[in-house]
Protein backbone atom coordinates (compact mmCIF):
# COMPACT_ATOMS: atom_id res chain seq x y z
CA UNK A 1 0.00 0.00 0.00
CA UNK A 2 1.28 3.45 -0.92
CA UNK A 3 1.80 5.38 2.30
CA UNK A 4 3.65 8.39 3.66
CA UNK A 5 6.26 7.99 6.37
CA UNK A 6 6.63 11.63 7.40
CA UNK A 7 4.34 14.60 7.93
CA UNK A 8 7.08 16.66 6.25
CA UNK A 9 6.69 14.70 2.99
CA UNK A 10 4.98 17.76 1.54
CA UNK A 11 5.96 20.94 -0.27
CA UNK A 12 7.55 23.74 1.73
CA UNK A 13 5.08 26.36 0.47
CA UNK A 14 2.21 24.45 2.09
CA UNK A 15 3.76 24.94 5.51
CA UNK A 16 4.71 28.58 4.89
CA UNK A 17 1.15 29.31 3.77
CA UNK A 18 -0.27 27.37 6.72
CA UNK A 19 1.72 29.54 9.11
CA UNK A 20 0.38 32.69 7.44
CA UNK A 21 -3.19 31.34 7.52
CA UNK A 22 -2.92 30.51 11.22
CA UNK A 23 -1.74 34.07 11.90
CA UNK A 24 -4.15 35.97 9.64
CA UNK A 25 -7.17 33.80 8.77
CA UNK A 26 -7.61 31.14 11.47
CA UNK A 27 -11.41 30.95 11.05
CA UNK A 28 -11.46 30.75 7.25
CA UNK A 29 -12.71 27.57 5.58
CA UNK A 30 -11.90 26.02 2.23
CA UNK A 31 -13.04 23.40 -0.24
CA UNK A 32 -10.78 21.67 -2.76
CA UNK A 33 -11.47 19.41 -5.75
CA UNK A 34 -9.35 16.95 -7.72
CA UNK A 35 -9.03 17.74 -11.45
CA UNK A 36 -8.02 14.94 -13.81
CA UNK A 37 -6.47 17.00 -16.61
CA UNK A 38 -4.94 13.96 -18.28
CA UNK A 39 -8.25 12.04 -18.40
CA UNK A 40 -6.55 9.10 -16.70
CA UNK A 41 -8.70 5.99 -16.17
CA UNK A 42 -8.52 4.64 -12.64
CA UNK A 43 -8.72 0.87 -12.10
CA UNK A 44 -11.46 -0.84 -10.14
CA UNK A 45 -10.92 -0.54 -6.39
CA UNK A 46 -8.73 2.55 -6.68
CA UNK A 47 -10.91 4.71 -4.42
CA UNK A 48 -10.83 2.10 -1.65
CA UNK A 49 -7.05 1.86 -1.81
CA UNK A 50 -6.74 5.64 -1.74
CA UNK A 51 -9.03 5.84 1.31
CA UNK A 52 -6.80 3.35 3.11
CA UNK A 53 -3.68 5.37 2.33
CA UNK A 54 -5.31 8.60 3.48
CA UNK A 55 -6.64 6.97 6.66
CA UNK A 56 -3.07 5.92 7.42
CA UNK A 57 -2.00 9.58 7.37
CA UNK A 58 -3.90 10.19 10.62
CA UNK A 59 -0.98 8.59 12.47
CA UNK A 60 1.65 10.98 11.09
CA UNK A 61 3.15 13.43 13.56
CA UNK A 62 6.12 15.76 13.67
CA UNK A 63 9.04 14.16 15.49
CA UNK A 64 11.43 16.09 17.72
CA UNK A 65 14.17 15.69 15.12
CA UNK A 66 11.93 16.98 12.35
CA UNK A 67 10.83 19.90 14.48
CA UNK A 68 14.44 20.86 15.21
CA UNK A 69 15.45 20.64 11.54
CA UNK A 70 12.46 22.63 10.30
CA UNK A 71 12.87 25.36 12.93
CA UNK A 72 16.60 25.60 12.24
CA UNK A 73 15.92 26.32 8.57
CA UNK A 74 13.19 28.90 9.20
CA UNK A 75 14.26 31.49 11.77
CA UNK A 76 11.60 33.82 10.33
CA UNK A 77 8.78 31.53 11.57
CA UNK A 78 7.68 31.86 15.21
CA UNK A 79 8.44 28.89 17.52
CA UNK A 80 4.72 28.68 18.30
CA UNK A 81 4.08 27.42 14.76
CA UNK A 82 6.36 24.43 15.21
CA UNK A 83 4.58 23.62 18.48
CA UNK A 84 1.32 23.83 16.56
CA UNK A 85 2.65 21.56 13.81
CA UNK A 86 3.84 19.06 16.41
CA UNK A 87 0.26 18.78 17.59
CA UNK A 88 -1.30 18.77 14.11
CA UNK A 89 -2.95 15.55 12.91
CA UNK A 90 -4.48 14.86 9.52
CA UNK A 91 -8.22 14.22 9.81
CA UNK A 92 -9.29 11.81 7.02
CA UNK A 93 -12.93 12.83 7.58
CA UNK A 94 -12.05 16.09 5.79
CA UNK A 95 -11.48 14.10 2.58
CA UNK A 96 -14.28 12.56 0.51
CA UNK A 97 -13.47 10.05 -2.25
CA UNK A 98 -15.81 8.47 -4.79
CA UNK A 99 -15.25 6.33 -7.86
CA UNK A 100 -17.74 5.71 -10.65
CA UNK A 101 -16.32 3.32 -13.21
CA UNK A 102 -12.89 4.65 -14.11
CA UNK A 103 -13.62 8.20 -12.92
CA UNK A 104 -12.31 9.44 -9.57
CA UNK A 105 -13.72 12.27 -7.43
CA UNK A 106 -11.79 13.71 -4.48
CA UNK A 107 -13.00 16.67 -2.45
CA UNK A 108 -11.69 18.25 0.75
CA UNK A 109 -13.49 20.55 3.17
CA UNK A 110 -12.67 22.12 6.51
CA UNK A 111 -10.85 24.99 8.17
CA UNK A 112 -8.29 26.36 5.73
CA UNK A 113 -5.43 26.18 8.24
CA UNK A 114 -6.02 22.41 8.44
CA UNK A 115 -7.03 21.45 4.90
CA UNK A 116 -4.16 23.36 3.31
CA UNK A 117 -1.79 20.44 3.93
CA UNK A 118 -3.81 17.81 2.03
CA UNK A 119 -3.22 18.74 -1.62
CA UNK A 120 0.37 17.64 -2.22
CA UNK A 121 0.35 14.31 -0.32
CA UNK A 122 -2.99 13.27 -1.84
CA UNK A 123 -1.68 13.97 -5.33
CA UNK A 124 1.49 12.01 -4.67
CA UNK A 125 -0.56 9.10 -3.30
CA UNK A 126 -2.87 9.14 -6.33
CA UNK A 127 0.16 8.92 -8.62
CA UNK A 128 1.88 6.17 -6.66
CA UNK A 129 -1.28 4.06 -6.38
CA UNK A 130 -2.05 4.55 -10.07
CA UNK A 131 1.32 3.09 -11.02
CA UNK A 132 1.13 0.38 -8.34
CA UNK A 133 -2.18 -0.85 -9.73
CA UNK A 134 -0.97 -0.73 -13.33
CA UNK A 135 0.65 -3.63 -15.18
CA UNK A 136 3.28 -1.28 -16.62
CA UNK A 137 6.78 -1.54 -15.18
CA UNK A 138 9.14 1.40 -14.73
CA UNK A 139 12.83 1.38 -15.56
CA UNK A 140 15.15 -0.03 -12.88
CA UNK A 141 16.73 2.03 -10.10
CA UNK A 142 20.12 2.41 -11.78
CA UNK A 143 18.46 3.68 -14.94
CA UNK A 144 16.48 6.23 -12.90
CA UNK A 145 19.73 7.50 -11.41
CA UNK A 146 21.53 7.53 -14.76
CA UNK A 147 18.72 9.56 -16.34
CA UNK A 148 19.16 12.17 -13.60
CA UNK A 149 22.97 12.15 -13.95
CA UNK A 150 22.70 12.63 -17.72
CA UNK A 151 20.36 15.59 -17.26
CA UNK A 152 22.56 17.21 -14.65
CA UNK A 153 25.62 16.84 -16.88
CA UNK A 154 23.84 19.08 -19.40
CA UNK A 155 22.42 21.47 -16.80
CA UNK A 156 25.85 21.93 -15.23
CA UNK A 157 27.13 23.39 -18.49
CA UNK A 158 24.50 26.13 -18.34
CA UNK A 159 25.91 27.48 -15.06
CA UNK A 160 22.48 27.67 -13.40
CA UNK A 161 20.80 26.67 -10.13
CA UNK A 162 18.05 24.07 -9.93
CA UNK A 163 15.67 22.87 -7.21
CA UNK A 164 13.48 19.80 -7.17
CA UNK A 165 9.77 20.68 -7.36
CA UNK A 166 8.53 17.17 -8.09
CA UNK A 167 6.54 15.93 -5.08
CA UNK A 168 3.00 16.30 -6.42
CA UNK A 169 3.31 14.20 -9.56
CA UNK A 170 6.20 11.91 -8.71
CA UNK A 171 6.10 8.30 -9.81
CA UNK A 172 6.56 7.13 -6.23
CA UNK A 173 8.34 7.87 -2.99
CA UNK A 174 11.07 5.39 -3.96
CA UNK A 175 11.78 7.14 -7.25
CA UNK A 176 11.73 10.57 -5.59
CA UNK A 177 14.25 9.32 -3.04
CA UNK A 178 16.56 8.04 -5.79
CA UNK A 179 16.30 11.35 -7.63
CA UNK A 180 17.18 13.51 -4.61
CA UNK A 181 20.03 11.18 -3.65
CA UNK A 182 21.43 11.49 -7.17
CA UNK A 183 20.96 15.27 -7.30
CA UNK A 184 22.61 15.73 -3.91
CA UNK A 185 25.61 13.63 -4.96
CA UNK A 186 26.13 15.70 -8.12
CA UNK A 187 29.61 17.27 -7.80
CA UNK A 188 28.59 20.69 -9.15
CA UNK A 189 26.72 23.45 -7.32
CA UNK A 190 23.77 23.32 -9.72
CA UNK A 191 21.38 21.58 -7.31
CA UNK A 192 20.45 23.94 -4.47
CA UNK A 193 17.50 22.27 -2.70
CA UNK A 194 14.05 20.75 -2.85
CA UNK A 195 10.48 21.84 -2.24
CA UNK A 196 9.98 18.65 -0.21
CA UNK A 197 10.78 19.31 3.46
CA UNK A 198 11.19 15.62 4.34
CA UNK A 199 13.83 15.09 1.66
CA UNK A 200 15.48 18.39 2.54
CA UNK A 201 15.99 16.98 6.02
CA UNK A 202 17.00 13.49 4.86
CA UNK A 203 19.64 14.83 2.48
CA UNK A 204 20.58 17.95 4.49
CA UNK A 205 19.72 20.45 1.81
CA UNK A 206 17.54 23.56 1.67
CA UNK A 207 13.71 23.51 1.62
CA UNK A 208 12.58 25.91 -1.11
CA UNK A 209 9.28 27.67 -1.82
CA UNK A 210 7.03 30.59 -0.89
CA UNK A 211 3.29 30.56 -1.70
CA UNK A 212 0.88 29.04 -4.22
CA UNK A 213 -2.15 30.13 -6.24
CA UNK A 214 -4.59 29.38 -3.43
CA UNK A 215 -3.15 32.24 -1.36
CA UNK A 216 -4.37 34.74 -3.95
CA UNK A 217 -7.54 32.77 -4.72
CA UNK A 218 -8.60 33.12 -1.08
CA UNK A 219 -7.80 36.84 -1.14
CA UNK A 220 -10.11 37.22 -4.13
CA UNK A 221 -12.90 35.52 -2.18
CA UNK A 222 -12.38 37.85 0.76
CA UNK A 223 -11.43 41.14 -0.93
CA UNK A 224 -12.40 40.82 -4.60
CA UNK A 225 -10.41 40.20 -7.76
CA UNK A 226 -9.05 43.72 -8.12
CA UNK A 227 -7.42 43.59 -4.68
CA UNK A 228 -6.37 39.93 -4.57
CA UNK A 229 -2.78 40.25 -5.78
CA UNK A 230 -2.06 43.50 -3.95
CA UNK A 231 -3.46 42.44 -0.58
CA UNK A 232 -2.12 38.90 -0.98
CA UNK A 233 1.41 40.26 -1.29
CA UNK A 234 0.89 42.91 1.41
CA UNK A 235 -0.26 40.25 3.85
CA UNK A 236 2.59 37.96 2.87
CA UNK A 237 5.10 40.72 3.57
CA UNK A 238 3.34 41.50 6.87
CA UNK A 239 3.95 37.90 7.98
CA UNK A 240 7.43 37.32 6.56
CA UNK A 241 8.90 40.85 6.71
CA UNK A 242 11.06 40.47 3.61
CA UNK A 243 11.84 36.75 3.80
CA UNK A 244 10.40 34.29 1.27
CA UNK A 245 10.33 37.08 -1.30
CA UNK A 246 9.40 35.35 -4.57
CA UNK A 247 5.92 36.38 -5.74
CA UNK A 248 3.71 34.06 -7.79
CA UNK A 249 2.45 36.07 -10.72
CA UNK A 250 -0.15 34.16 -12.73
CA UNK A 251 -3.20 33.53 -10.55
CA UNK A 252 -5.14 36.13 -12.57
CA UNK A 253 -2.75 36.42 -15.55
CA UNK A 254 0.63 38.06 -15.50
CA UNK A 255 -0.68 41.20 -17.20
CA UNK A 256 -3.11 41.85 -14.34
CA UNK A 257 -0.45 40.97 -11.77
CA UNK A 258 2.02 43.58 -12.99
CA UNK A 259 -0.68 46.26 -12.93
CA UNK A 260 -1.16 45.51 -9.22
CA UNK A 261 2.54 44.90 -8.42
CA UNK A 262 3.22 48.49 -7.35
CA UNK A 263 6.62 50.06 -6.78
CA UNK A 264 6.70 49.29 -3.08
CA UNK A 265 6.02 45.60 -3.64
CA UNK A 266 8.26 45.47 -6.71
CA UNK A 267 11.15 46.74 -4.59
CA UNK A 268 10.29 44.61 -1.57
CA UNK A 269 10.03 41.22 -3.29
CA UNK A 270 13.21 39.55 -4.54
CA UNK A 271 11.58 38.36 -7.73
CA UNK A 272 8.69 36.48 -9.30
CA UNK A 273 7.84 32.89 -10.24
CA UNK A 274 6.76 31.85 -13.73
CA UNK A 275 4.26 28.97 -13.73
CA UNK A 276 2.33 29.18 -17.01
CA UNK A 277 2.39 30.61 -20.51
CA UNK A 278 5.35 31.43 -22.73
CA UNK A 279 8.48 31.70 -20.57
CA UNK A 280 10.35 34.07 -22.89
CA UNK A 281 7.40 36.43 -23.18
CA UNK A 282 7.06 36.35 -19.39
CA UNK A 283 10.74 37.27 -19.03
CA UNK A 284 10.26 40.19 -21.43
CA UNK A 285 7.27 41.46 -19.45
CA UNK A 286 9.12 41.07 -16.16
CA UNK A 287 12.21 42.92 -17.35
CA UNK A 288 10.04 45.71 -18.77
CA UNK A 289 8.14 45.97 -15.48
CA UNK A 290 11.31 46.38 -13.42
CA UNK A 291 12.70 48.95 -15.85
CA UNK A 292 9.43 50.91 -15.73
CA UNK A 293 9.84 51.16 -11.95
CA UNK A 294 13.45 52.32 -12.20
CA UNK A 295 14.79 49.02 -10.88
CA UNK A 296 17.73 47.16 -12.41
CA UNK A 297 16.31 43.76 -13.51
CA UNK A 298 19.66 42.13 -12.78
CA UNK A 299 19.03 42.78 -9.09
CA UNK A 300 15.90 40.58 -9.27
CA UNK A 301 15.23 36.91 -10.02
CA UNK A 302 12.72 34.89 -11.99
CA UNK A 303 12.05 31.36 -10.75
CA UNK A 304 10.90 29.32 -13.73
CA UNK A 305 8.80 26.27 -12.83
CA UNK A 306 6.40 25.46 -15.66
CA UNK A 307 6.86 21.95 -17.09
CA UNK A 308 10.59 22.35 -17.60
CA UNK A 309 13.02 20.10 -19.42
CA UNK A 310 16.53 20.76 -20.71
CA UNK A 311 15.44 22.28 -24.03
CA UNK A 312 13.12 24.79 -22.34
CA UNK A 313 15.71 25.68 -19.72
CA UNK A 314 18.43 26.23 -22.34
CA UNK A 315 16.18 28.63 -24.31
CA UNK A 316 15.32 30.58 -21.15
CA UNK A 317 18.98 30.91 -20.17
CA UNK A 318 19.92 32.10 -23.65
CA UNK A 319 17.32 34.88 -23.43
CA UNK A 320 17.77 35.92 -19.78
CA UNK A 321 21.54 35.82 -19.46
CA UNK A 322 22.87 39.26 -18.62
CA UNK A 323 19.36 40.74 -18.41
CA UNK A 324 17.84 39.36 -15.18
CA UNK A 325 18.58 36.77 -12.52
CA UNK A 326 17.10 33.29 -12.98
CA UNK A 327 16.76 29.92 -11.31
CA UNK A 328 14.70 26.81 -12.03
CA UNK A 329 12.31 24.50 -10.22
CA UNK A 330 12.04 21.20 -12.08
CA UNK A 331 9.27 18.78 -11.15
CA UNK A 332 7.90 15.88 -13.14
CA UNK A 333 10.87 15.72 -15.52
CA UNK A 334 12.98 14.66 -12.53
CA UNK A 335 10.57 12.61 -10.42
CA UNK A 336 8.48 10.87 -13.08
CA UNK A 337 10.84 10.17 -15.98
CA UNK A 338 10.74 6.39 -15.66
CA UNK A 339 9.51 5.20 -19.04
CA UNK A 340 5.79 5.48 -18.27
CA UNK A 341 3.08 8.01 -19.13
CA UNK A 342 3.33 10.92 -16.72
CA UNK A 343 0.19 11.86 -14.84
CA UNK A 344 -1.40 15.25 -15.48
CA UNK A 345 -3.50 15.99 -12.40
CA UNK A 346 -4.13 18.90 -10.03
CA UNK A 347 -6.05 19.44 -6.80
CA UNK A 348 -7.19 23.04 -6.44
CA UNK A 349 -9.16 25.21 -4.04
CA UNK A 350 -12.73 25.39 -5.36
CA UNK A 351 -14.50 27.57 -2.77
CA UNK A 352 -13.47 29.66 0.21
CA UNK A 353 -15.40 30.95 3.20
CA UNK A 354 -13.72 33.91 4.88
CA UNK A 355 -14.56 34.63 8.51
CA UNK A 356 -18.08 36.10 8.72
CA UNK A 357 -18.42 35.57 4.97
CA UNK A 358 -20.22 33.18 2.66
CA UNK A 359 -18.96 30.26 0.62
CA UNK A 360 -17.51 31.92 -2.48
CA UNK A 361 -16.33 30.18 -5.66
CA UNK A 362 -12.65 30.76 -6.46
CA UNK A 363 -10.88 30.49 -9.79
CA UNK A 364 -7.43 30.65 -11.38
CA UNK A 365 -6.86 32.51 -14.64
CA UNK A 366 -3.56 31.11 -15.81
CA UNK A 367 -1.48 32.56 -18.65
CA UNK A 368 -2.20 29.22 -20.30
CA UNK A 369 -6.00 28.93 -20.82
CA UNK A 370 -5.90 25.13 -20.49
CA UNK A 371 -4.75 25.65 -16.91
CA UNK A 372 -7.74 27.77 -15.87
CA UNK A 373 -9.62 26.27 -12.92
CA UNK A 374 -13.04 27.05 -11.50
CA UNK A 375 -16.61 27.44 -12.69
CA UNK A 376 -17.12 28.93 -16.16
CA UNK A 377 -19.56 31.56 -14.95
CA UNK A 378 -17.13 32.73 -12.26
CA UNK A 379 -14.28 32.86 -14.77
CA UNK A 380 -16.46 35.07 -16.96
CA UNK A 381 -17.17 37.41 -14.03
CA UNK A 382 -13.48 37.65 -13.13
CA UNK A 383 -12.51 38.46 -16.71
CA UNK A 384 -15.08 41.25 -16.81
CA UNK A 385 -13.96 42.68 -13.46
CA UNK A 386 -10.28 42.53 -14.42
CA UNK A 387 -10.88 43.63 -18.03
CA UNK A 388 -9.24 40.53 -19.46
CA UNK A 389 -9.87 40.04 -23.16
CA UNK A 390 -10.13 36.54 -24.63
Amino acid sequence: MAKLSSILDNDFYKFTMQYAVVKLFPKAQARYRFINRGKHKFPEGFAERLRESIADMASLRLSKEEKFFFASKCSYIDPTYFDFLQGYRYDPEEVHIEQVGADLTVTIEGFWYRTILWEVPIMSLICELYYEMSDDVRVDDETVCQIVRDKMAKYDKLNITIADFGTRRRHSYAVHDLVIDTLKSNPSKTFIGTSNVHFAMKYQTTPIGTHAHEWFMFHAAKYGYKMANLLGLEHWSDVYRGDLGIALSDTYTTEVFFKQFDKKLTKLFDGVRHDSGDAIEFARLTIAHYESKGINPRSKTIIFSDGLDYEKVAKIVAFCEGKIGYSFGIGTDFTNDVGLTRMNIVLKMEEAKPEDGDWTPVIKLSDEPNKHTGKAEEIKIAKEVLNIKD
Side-chain angles (χ1 to χ4, degrees), residues 253-311:
T253 75
T254 293
E255 183 179 357
V256 169
F257 174 84
F258 280 133
K259 289 178 181 177
Q260 300 172 344
F261 198 40
D262 65 17
K263 189 166 186 176
K264 170 191 168 183
L265 294 170
T266 300
K267 284 191 169 185
L268 177 62
F269 279 79
D270 300 320
V272 293
R273 178 159 74 90
H274 170 260
D275 196 50
S276 66
D278 184 88
I280 303 302
E281 180 59 24
F282 177 84
R284 285 195 185 99
L285 289 171
T286 303
I287 291 167
H289 176 77
Y290 285 126
E291 290 176 340
S292 74
K293 302 297 183 185
I295 297 169
N296 184 349
R298 285 176 291 181
S299 68
K300 300 293 184 176
T301 299
I302 301 175
I303 307 297
F304 293 93
S305 62
D306 179 32
L308 297 176
D309 56 23
Y310 173 77
E311 286 71 26

Side-chain angles (χ1 to χ4, degrees), residues 17 25 112 210-236 246-252 257 260-261 265 269 273 349 352 362-364:
M17 286 194 299
F25 308 111
W112 190 24
T210 52
H211 47 242
H213 297 105
E214 69 182 281
W215 181 252
F216 301 98
M217 292 161 77
F218 173 82
H219 277 76
K222 185 170 176 65
Y223 302 107
Y225 292 113
K226 287 190 174 181
M227 298 301 293
N229 285 320
L230 179 64
L231 288 178
L233 294 177
E234 287 278 8
H235 286 149
W236 192 258
I246 297 295
L248 182 58
S249 59
D250 71 332
T251 309
Y252 303 110
F257 174 84
Q260 300 172 344
F261 198 40
L265 294 170
F269 279 79
R273 178 159 74 90
M349 183 185 284
V362 297
I363 56 127
K364 178 168 79 84

Side-chain angles (χ1 to χ4, degrees), residues 18-19 41 73 109 126 173 195 284 325 343 373 379 385:
Q18 184 184 52
Y19 171 61
K41 299 300 181 182
K73 291 291 185 179
E109 180 176 334
I126 288 173
Y173 176 92
S195 64
R284 285 195 185 99
M343 297 199 78
T373 64
I379 289 175
V385 170

Side-chain angles (χ1 to χ4, degrees), residues 85-316:
L85 190 59
Q86 197 167 29
Y88 177 91
R89 300 292 182 271
Y90 282 108
D91 180 1
E93 292 187 3
E94 294 168 344
V95 183
H96 306 277
I97 304 166
E98 299 294 337
Q99 183 174 357
V100 178
D103 296 326
L104 181 71
T105 300
V106 181
T107 58
I108 304 162
E109 180 176 334
F111 283 108
W112 190 24
Y113 79 87
R114 293 192 44 79
T115 55
I116 199 167
L117 292 190
W118 278 114
E119 174 194 349
V120 174
I122 287 180
M123 287 181 64
S124 66
L125 287 171
I126 288 173
C127 289
E128 184 155 357
L129 280 170
Y130 180 82
Y131 294 115
E132 269 187 16
M133 298 178 73
S134 167
D135 294 329
D136 297 327
V137 179
R138 70 169 173 88
V139 299
D140 61 36
D141 288 0
E142 177 51 36
T143 302
V144 170
C145 297
Q146 189 59 50
I147 289 171
V148 176
R149 287 192 289 266
D150 290 344
K151 289 176 181 176
M152 291 304 291
K154 294 194 293 183
Y155 284 131
D156 287 345
K157 295 177 182 178
L158 296 177
N159 191 30
I160 59 176
T161 54
I162 285 175
D164 154 58
F165 280 12
T167 304
R168 295 187 303 160
R169 288 181 283 264
R170 67 192 184 193
H171 171 274
S172 58
Y173 176 92
V175 166
H176 200 173
D177 194 23
L178 287 169
V179 168
I180 302 299
D181 188 23
T182 306
L183 290 170
K184 188 64 166 63
S185 63
N186 188 56
S188 78
K189 295 181 180 179
T190 303
F191 175 65
I192 57 170
T194 172
S195 64
N196 187 293
V197 185
H198 164 68
F199 283 120
M201 177 178 172
K202 182 174 181 179
Y203 290 99
Q204 290 300 296
T205 188
T206 303
I208 291 176
T210 52
H211 47 242
H213 297 105
E214 69 182 281
W215 181 252
F216 301 98
M217 292 161 77
F218 173 82
H219 277 76
K222 185 170 176 65
Y223 302 107
Y225 292 113
K226 287 190 174 181
M227 298 301 293
N229 285 320
L230 179 64
L231 288 178
L233 294 177
E234 287 278 8
H235 286 149
W236 192 258
S237 65
D238 287 345
V239 172
Y240 285 106
R241 313 301 298 172
D243 284 304
L244 302 181
I246 297 295
L248 182 58
S249 59
D250 71 332
T251 309
Y252 303 110
T253 75
T254 293
E255 183 179 357
V256 169
F257 174 84
F258 280 133
K259 289 178 181 177
Q260 300 172 344
F261 198 40
D262 65 17
K263 189 166 186 176
K264 170 191 168 183
L265 294 170
T266 300
K267 284 191 169 185
L268 177 62
F269 279 79
D270 300 320
V272 293
R273 178 159 74 90
H274 170 260
D275 196 50
S276 66
D278 184 88
I280 303 302
E281 180 59 24
F282 177 84
R284 285 195 185 99
L285 289 171
T286 303
I287 291 167
H289 176 77
Y290 285 126
E291 290 176 340
S292 74
K293 302 297 183 185
I295 297 169
N296 184 349
R298 285 176 291 181
S299 68
K300 300 293 184 176
T301 299
I302 301 175
I303 307 297
F304 293 93
S305 62
D306 179 32
L308 297 176
D309 56 23
Y310 173 77
E311 286 71 26
K312 290 181 181 179
V313 170
K315 289 178 182 177
I316 292 167

Side-chain angles (χ1 to χ4, degrees), residues 24-41:
L24 300 180
F25 308 111
K27 295 182 180 180
Q29 297 180 60
R31 291 172 176 157
Y32 299 78
R33 179 174 295 275
F34 171 69
I35 302 171
N36 184 4
R37 284 179 178 163
K39 310 297 183 185
H40 306 286
K41 299 300 181 182

Side-chain angles (χ1 to χ4, degrees), residues 42 51 55 61 65 86 93 163 192 207 214 334:
F42 293 92
R51 286 190 202 99
R61 60 192 63 197
E65 294 77 16
Q86 197 167 29
E93 292 187 3
I192 57 170
E214 69 182 281
F334 272 147

